[in-house]
Structure formats: structure tokens, C-alpha cells
DNA sequence: TAGATTGTTAATCGATTAACAATC
DNA sequence: TAGATTGTTAATCGATTAACAATC
């Protein structure tokens, strides 16, 4: 029962299928068709069936996919059951928003603590998660065996802080700063560049409409 | 001098090239090569040259692309000079973070106001941007001619608020809620589903490493 | 000159869409 | 049965990578 590596685009779509499936369950709908999912996402319905085939989810002819079954299949294949402990670096508004974000727990994302360098913030708590001084990070990363960091510090500090993270043994960085970090090849970086995202959105949808 | 429609992936990369180019300028580097850009982004260098060709940016054999020229070319082609007035819906931590985000102004994104339904927040200001009650939105959207909204309300309210936005004449929604909104086809939606993004990140990079 | 880089074409690779038989 | 939907293959489309001549 080998899991084949799913493409980035398939993974993103599967996550959105999950959101839609959960909504159907909340509305007490027992089945959902590939056509309904496709229509909501404005994509082709054979794309949906193909994606679901990748995770070996099967539907029923004439009725579609059973929602409770589909939800479980998606959870299993998207590794929701594997707990992913993370630190949030930067306790500003964005770091705080992410620390409070209740949705993450369904996905296995578990925020253990926040780090900042502002003296007034240290030892405060956000939703039971304590804010520590950044100097405590290496020690705590080792002790708690954390190798994932969410980086939400200001642009000017991003590269320096990222270097500190790498020295502390962090291997995976979810980068919210508008900086393309320069890091060793073995460190995995996922850029969540909001400004870049807005540019894409606005150029695609706002000024280039046919 | 027709602009050809750039693909979503090219647009995203061009935005990241912009970040790197700005960094080079700050470090007083006069030139940047496609190879340097490619290495930072861990992509192929001919991809960089091809993308830059799309916006008609030309380099110099043996030295690369002039940074100040490249910055200007990227700004022009990514429409930074066109001011995009937006409203932020939801004045929680995420809405506040986006309202304060200084980076946006370089990209032509201009936050005019925030909207919320919590009485205590109304009339407060975030970085000179006032928070209004959501009921004021239709009137203000018309008066200020705003048709772009950034949606940062809780999951449970997202669909209802989105419907309100559409009724108020909003045409473009940058959706930060973990909900796949159901909206008329003519409304353009850009999903910034952070949970979905984390799933993609973690499945790709954390559990499926070769 | 030798060497490095651009600009560009061709080859490869992967993702999406179309089509339809099988099924209930 | 008739009609709707899945499951799957083939066709199309688009994006990435390889290769290399042209240039300075």
C-alpha cells in the first residue's frame, strides 16, 4: 500500500475538497458528486475524479462519493493524524493570528510556543501558548524536538532570524516574510509571500480580464 | 505594445524576482544574473530568462540584468503603478496584520478602511484606517468606488459575509477564510487558504522526502 | 582570446480536458 | 428501461528543462 507522491497542485485541490466535504457533512448531505465539487472550484469534473483516484477513494455510480467516507480518506491521505509540532517566530499580529487560528488543529498542526525579541511580550500567553525570547529557541527546539518554524518577523529581520533557526536545527520554514531567503539546500522553505500572492491575484483577475 | 497575458506561475515567479532584485539594489549590486536568481529560488536559469523575456526585459551578455532597470520593468509589468483600493472585512488579528502591512503600498495595494460587526471595535483606527460597522459597507463601496475586498472573518461567517459583499457590488474577493465560497461566476475569488497551504507544504516537504 | 552569459529553439515532462464504456 | 455518474484512457495543452549559437 505505497502512497505515491502527489503533486503540489493535487494536494492543494484535495485540501479544498476536504473543506467542501466538511461543509456537506455539516449540512447533513450524505453524498457529493465530482460535478458538484468541480462546479464550486470552477474546474473540470474529471479532474476531481482523477485526484480522488490518486488517494484510492471510490464513489458510487449514479450517487457520487459518500461524504463521511470521503472526509476520512482525505484526512488519512493528507496526514492529518500525524502531529506536526511547530514554533511561531514573531509574535506580531500575523504570528498572533496564526497562533489563535483554531482551524489548524484539524490538520495536525500544533503550535507549541511563540518567540519574539520584544521584552514586553516575553512570558505573555496567546491561547495557552507562551511567548519566549528568541534566544531560548535553540535549547527549546532540541528539548521539544521541533524542526518546523513559521516565520512572521519583519522583512528587515527575516534573513538573520532564518539563519538562527537553521543553526538551531530547524529544517522546515513556512516563510511569511516578503523575502526570498538564502539558505542551505537541505532546508525546505515554503514561501507564503502575501504581497506576491496579491500581485498574482490582481494581474490575473483585475487587469487582464478578457 | 500589447501585454500578453502571463500565466499564474510566471506572475508568482516575477514577484519573487522583484523581491530578490530589490535586495540586490539595497546591497548596491548593479547587476544580477539569471543564474543567481534561479539558484535562490531553486529553479532552472532558463526559466528565469524566459520569464523576463515575457516582460521584454533584456540583459547584457556576460554581466546579466541591470538591477535598477529590472526593478522598473517588473514594477511596470506587474502593474504596481495602478492603485488598487480595497476594504478589509474582519478586524481581527489577521485583518489587523494585513492593514498594518507596510509592504503592500509598494505593490499599489491601498487599504481604505476595515469593517467588523463587534461594537467595541467600531470607529477605532488601525494605522489611520478606520473600522466601520459592516452595515456601512454598501454605501461606502459605492461612494469610494471600491470593488475589491479582503475577507478575514471567521469560518462560520464567511459565506454570509461574502454574499453581503457581492450584493454591495464587490467583484473581487481575496479570501483568507478556510471556506470554498459559493458565488456567482462573474465574481473573482482568490483563495488564500492557510490551512490548505500548510497541508501542501507538510505533505510535500515533510513526509514525502525521498 | 577564452569564458561567461543571454536569448531562443527543440525536447521533455506533466497537467488538464475530452470522451466514453461500464455501472447501477 | 432511461438517465446519471463513476472510472479510465486518449488527446490536448501548457510548463519546464536541455542545449547551444550569438554575443561581448
Amino acid at each position: 500500500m505505497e502512497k505515491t507522491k502527489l503533486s503540489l497542485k493535487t494536494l492543494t485541490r484535495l485540501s479544498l475538497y476536504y473543506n467542501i466535504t466538511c461543509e456537506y457533512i455539516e449540512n447533513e448531505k450524505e453524498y457529493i458528486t465530482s460535478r458538484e465539487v468541480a462546479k464550486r472550484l470552477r474546474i473540470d469534473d474529471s479532474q476531481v475524479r482523477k485526484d480522488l483516484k490518486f488517494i484510492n477513494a471510490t464513489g458510487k455510480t449514479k450517487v457520487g462519493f459518500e461524504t463521511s467516507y470521503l472526509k476520512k480518506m482525505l484526512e488519512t491521505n493528507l496526514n492529518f493524524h500525524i502531529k506536526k509540532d511547530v514554533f511561531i517566530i514573531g509574535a506580531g499580529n500575523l504570528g498572533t493570528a496564526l497562533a489563535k487560528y483554531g482551524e489548524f488543529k484539524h490538520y495536525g498542526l500544533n503550535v507549541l510556543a511563540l518567540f519574539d525579541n520584544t521584552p514586553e511580550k516575553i512570558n505573555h500567553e496567546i491561547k495557552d501558548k507562551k511567548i519566549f525570547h528568541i534566544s531560548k529557541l535553540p535549547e527549546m527546539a532540541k528539548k521539544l524536538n521541533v524542526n518546523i518554524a513559521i516565520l512572521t518577523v519583519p522583512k528587515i529581520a527575516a534573513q538573520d532570524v532564518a539563519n538562527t533557526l537553521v543553526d538551531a536545527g530547524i529544517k522546515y520554514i513556512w516563510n511569511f516574510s516578503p523575502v526570498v531567503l538564502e539558505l542551505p539546500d537541505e532546508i525546505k522553505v515554503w514561501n507564503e509571500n502575501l504581497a506576491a500572492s496579491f500581485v498574482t491575484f490582481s494581474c490575473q483577475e483585475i487587469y487582464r480580464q478578457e
Side-chain angles (χ1 to χ4, degrees), chain A residues 30-209:
Chain A
E30 211 175 331
Y31 288 94
I32 186 166
T33 66
S34 59
R35 202 157 162 275
E36 290 172 300
V37 174
K39 188 168 185 302
R40 184 74 74 89
L41 285 166
R42 303 172 187 187
I43 60 175
D44 199 273
D45 57 322
S46 59
Q47 178 76 82
V48 176
R49 293 195 296 277
K50 190 163 263 190
D51 287 337
L52 294 180
K53 190 71 211 315
F54 284 133
I55 63 167
N56 296 309
T58 54
K60 290 180 194 168
T61 302
K62 266 189 84 173
V63 287
F65 296 80
E66 204 190 337
T67 50
S68 61
Y69 158 81
L70 188 56
K71 180 168 184 273
K72 281 208 194 77
M73 288 299 277
L74 287 165
E75 285 169 344
T76 306
N77 283 278
L78 297 175
N79 294 328
F80 288 10
H81 56 290
I82 301 176
K83 205 170 76 170
K84 283 140 292 212
D85 289 332
V86 310
F87 286 156
I88 293 178
I89 321 302
N93 281 292
L94 185 54
T96 303
L98 295 173
K100 285 188 180 172
Y101 199 44
E103 200 64 16
F104 283 152
K105 70 170 182 293
H106 303 301
Y107 296 77
L109 194 168
N110 186 35
V111 178
L112 288 182
L114 293 89
F115 293 86
D116 206 296
N117 66 352
T118 313
E120 301 83 55
K121 290 183 181 170
I122 311 303
N123 290 326
H124 280 226
E125 283 190 6
I126 295 167
K127 220 186 169 190
D128 292 332
K129 300 163 212 309
K130 204 163 164 182
I131 304 175
F132 295 92
H133 191 269
I134 185 77
S135 60
K136 300 272 188 213
L137 189 131
E139 174 196 334
M140 288 188 63
K142 196 165 286 174
K143 199 173 72 187
L144 299 170
N145 204 23
V146 171
N147 64 4
I148 312 174
I150 304 180
L151 188 64
T152 71
V153 301
K155 183 178 173 178
I156 191 92
Q159 182 65 57
D160 279 351
V161 173
N163 294 341
T164 309
L165 296 178
V166 171
D167 290 342
I170 294 294
K171 300 291 180 212
Y172 306 96
I173 299 178
W174 194 11
N175 175 32
F176 281 80
S177 79
V179 173
V180 182
L181 301 169
E182 189 166 22
L183 295 169
D185 284 351
E186 69 271 20
I187 307 299
K188 305 295 174 190
V189 182
W190 185 261
N191 289 309
E192 201 78 44
N193 192 320
L194 296 179
S197 188
F198 181 75
V199 170
T200 312
F201 168 46
S202 66
C203 287
Q204 276 257 319
E205 302 293 359
I206 299 182
Y207 298 100
R208 313 247 178 160
Q209 284 297 103

